Amino acid sequence: MIRVTDLYSGYGKVPILNAVSFEVSEHEMVAIIGPNGAGKSTLLKTIAGLVHPSSGKVVLEDQDVTGLPSYQIVRHGIAYVPEGGRVFPNMTVMDNLRMGAYSNRQTLKEGVLDEVFTLFPRLKERAEKFARTLSGGERQMLAIARGLVSRPKLLMLDEPSLGLAPKLVDEIYEKIRLLKESGLTVLLVEQNTTYALELADRGYVLENGRIFMEGSCAELASSDHVRKAYLGL
Ligand SMILES: Nc1ncnc2c1ncn2[C@@H]1O[C@H](COP(=O)(O)OP(=O)(O)O)[C@@H](O)[C@H]1O
Ligand SMILES: [Mg+2]
């Protein structure tokens, strides 16, 4: 579905990503784990067209989408859910969802709303509330829902557990599991290694802007490096 090859990216003259290569197959859920500052968000932002790569390639289903502006990336079928459940605080839940559809040059289709409200019934109850009045967990749900209304081929989730209490993390990950079961292709980046490796099919470890290891989640979870550095074992 998506193949990233030798990607270099950063901010101004500051290089962050160094020859990053990985791929995600259709219906697969791939996790990229790594510590704070490893470059996880920079990687997703570069794919999403928010940070410009200095070299390398991003190919989605045989189409080269490297360095395209973000609105075109959305149209190609990649949705990016930023970390911290970032949504438009002074817009209603409904208007936030409309914005998600708008960036794909669509008006909200009825079927799409039914789908996201089935997955997130609490958003339906709060449809006319301002996003700023939502709890942290509800905001994260809205951020994911906003990504889904563009009907993406690939959903990229940036640390969906960030800043949430354990009970809410369980709840969010249950939703992500349902999305995975529905066949959606998902690229998940997380510091929360336990959750990510439990749910994903395969994983990569990103450290200092480089892919340090890759393997099945079972392989990663049992490796000495991951156990010591990420699982505290
Ligand atoms: N807008 C920015 N300008 C300059 N440096 C940045 C910017 N955003 C992030 N960085 C730096 O890039 C590095 C990687 O950050 P980030 O991709 O956010 O890592 P992660 O998501 O893995 O925590 C960090 O050293 C961070 O300070
Ligand atoms: Mg980050």
Side-chain angles (χ1 to χ4, degrees):
M1 163 84 56
I2 190 169
R3 186 185 300 272
V4 171
T5 314
D6 257 342
L7 195 67
Y8 286 77
S9 179
Y11 304 95
K13 285 199 169 119
V14 185
I16 304 292
L17 300 182
N18 197 318
V20 170
S21 299
F22 68 92
E23 60 191 47
V24 187
S25 302
E26 198 177 355
H27 307 310
E28 202 181 22
M29 178 164 171
V30 166
I32 296 183
I33 58 170
N36 195 20
K40 301 183 299 300
S41 295
T42 305
L43 175 60
L44 295 194
K45 284 179 192 165
T46 305
I47 297 170
L50 300 167
V51 172
H52 205 79
S54 46
S55 68
K57 256 196 187 346
V58 180
V59 176
L60 180 80
E61 290 183 323
D62 299 327
Q63 293 206 316
D64 189 345
V65 299
T66 318
L68 292 182
S70 56
Y71 70 93
Q72 284 188 24
I73 294 288
V74 175
R75 267 184 233 162
H76 274 94
I78 301 179
Y80 164 59
V81 179
E83 67 186 13
R86 242 180 293 135
V87 292
F88 298 110
N90 295 324
M91 284 188 182
T92 63
V93 166
M94 211 43 216
D95 284 341
N96 267 281
L97 293 176
R98 286 193 186 102
M99 290 298 288
Y102 176 76
S103 56
N104 200 16
R105 265 212 192 149
Q106 296 172 338
T107 46
L108 266 183
K109 292 180 182 145
E110 230 170 85
V112 172
L113 269 189
D114 287 345
E115 285 165 31
V116 299
F117 285 152
T118 303
L119 184 64
F120 299 116
R122 238 174 313 150
L123 294 182
K124 187 173 187 178
E125 291 161 23
R126 291 174 174 51
E128 298 309 325
K129 299 266 191 285
F130 286 110
R132 62 168 188 269
T133 67
L134 301 180
S135 70
E138 289 165 351
R139 269 206 300 275
Q140 183 62 61
M141 290 180 194
L142 177 56
I144 295 173
R146 202 178 50 173
L148 291 173
V149 295
S150 66
R151 283 236 166 91
K153 296 172 187 159
L154 172 71
L155 183 71
M156 302 195 298
L157 296 171
D158 195 347
E159 296 209 48
S161 71
L162 191 73
L164 297 181
K167 197 168 155 269
L168 291 173
V169 176
D170 283 340
E171 208 177 311
I172 290 287
Y173 264 87
E174 173 58 18
K175 305 293 185 187
I176 298 172
R177 193 182 63 77
L178 292 171
L179 286 172
K180 177 191 150 131
E181 271 177 9
S182 78
L184 190 63
T185 307
V186 181
L187 175 60
L188 167 72
V189 311
E190 264 291 2
Q191 242 176 290
N192 196 331
T193 306
T194 312
Y195 278 87
L197 293 185
E198 225 173 83
L199 189 56
D201 299 303
R202 291 187 302 117
Y204 297 81
V205 178
L206 186 73
E207 291 185 5
N208 293 317
R210 294 170 188 265
I211 300 287
F212 178 79
M213 281 179 77
E214 67 173 280
S216 71
C217 289
E219 280 164 358
L220 292 182
S222 62
S223 86
D224 278 349
H225 178 78
V226 171
R227 283 163 59 84
K228 280 193 192 121
Y230 298 93
L231 301 171
L233 300 171

